[in-house]
Amino acid sequence: HQMGPEAIDDLLEGATVACIATVNADGTPYVVPIHFVYSDGAVYFHGLPKGQKFGNLSSNPAVSLTVYDMKGLLVEGETPCDVNTEYRCAVITGRATVIDDPDKKRCALGLIVAKYMPDMSSVNIPDAMVDGTGVVKVEIDEITGKYYP
């Protein structure tokens, strides 16, 4: 079943993990899990500003993200063929930009902290940590969502 915009927003605001696909230099996909925040119609995530993921983004900003929330199995009969899955998922395609502006980085990191560690959201992030952290904004080109049941 197709999810509407409000249900997609609800999933993206509540989910704790997404998988992001970037494109390697040889054209093959590279997929890794990330912690993320969804805000103002964009996705933000952070990490070390080096490595394969950030290297891929510097040469090709095209990305895809999948967010998945499995609620459980639905046993509707007596055989394995009678089992289904209750779930919600969203698939995003977009373009990633590494944020360089320290104020915008701090803002995005603050959103991530508020989501994952709300008790620490009032703690100031040291400048050295902001400077040494890679922060990425994914501008969404397309988003679709499905659920069952």
Side-chain angles (χ1 to χ4, degrees):
H1 308 289
Q2 294 292 323
M3 289 172 55
E6 288 180 10
I8 291 171
D9 287 350
D10 182 63
L11 172 61
L12 295 177
E13 289 166 4
T16 56
V17 178
C19 287
I20 186 166
T22 61
V23 182
N24 289 319
D26 65 2
T28 59
Y30 177 70
V31 181
V32 294
I34 58 168
H35 294 110
F36 73 100
V37 66
Y38 176 67
S39 179
D40 294 325
V43 172
Y44 298 86
F45 67 93
H46 73 295
L48 291 175
K50 55 184 174 183
Q52 190 167 353
K53 178 175 53 197
F54 276 81
N56 287 350
L57 293 176
S58 69
S59 61
N60 186 341
V63 297
S64 181
L65 291 96
T66 299
V67 178
Y68 186 83
D69 177 26
M70 181 177 158
K71 302 279 187 186
L73 296 176
L74 303 170
V75 180
E76 300 168 346
E78 308 238 348
T79 71
C81 297
D82 298 323
V83 177
N84 213 323
T85 304
E86 181 179 3
Y87 73 94
R88 301 180 303 161
C89 74
V91 177
I92 296 169
T93 56
R95 305 198 74 66
T97 304
V98 176
I99 300 173
D100 293 322
D101 180 273
D103 292 332
K104 290 180 181 179
K105 285 175 71 171
R106 184 177 297 282
C107 181
L109 290 169
L111 293 171
I112 293 168
V113 170
K115 178 179 179 177
Y116 291 95
M117 302 184 65
D119 293 346
M120 293 187 162
S121 61
S122 64
V123 176
N124 186 43
I125 302 169
D127 291 342
M129 294 301 292
V130 173
D131 292 343
T133 302
V135 178
V136 176
K137 177 181 182 180
V138 176
E139 295 188 42
I140 297 171
D141 293 331
E142 182 179 10
I143 185 167
T144 59
K146 292 186 179 183
Y147 72 96
Y148 187 86

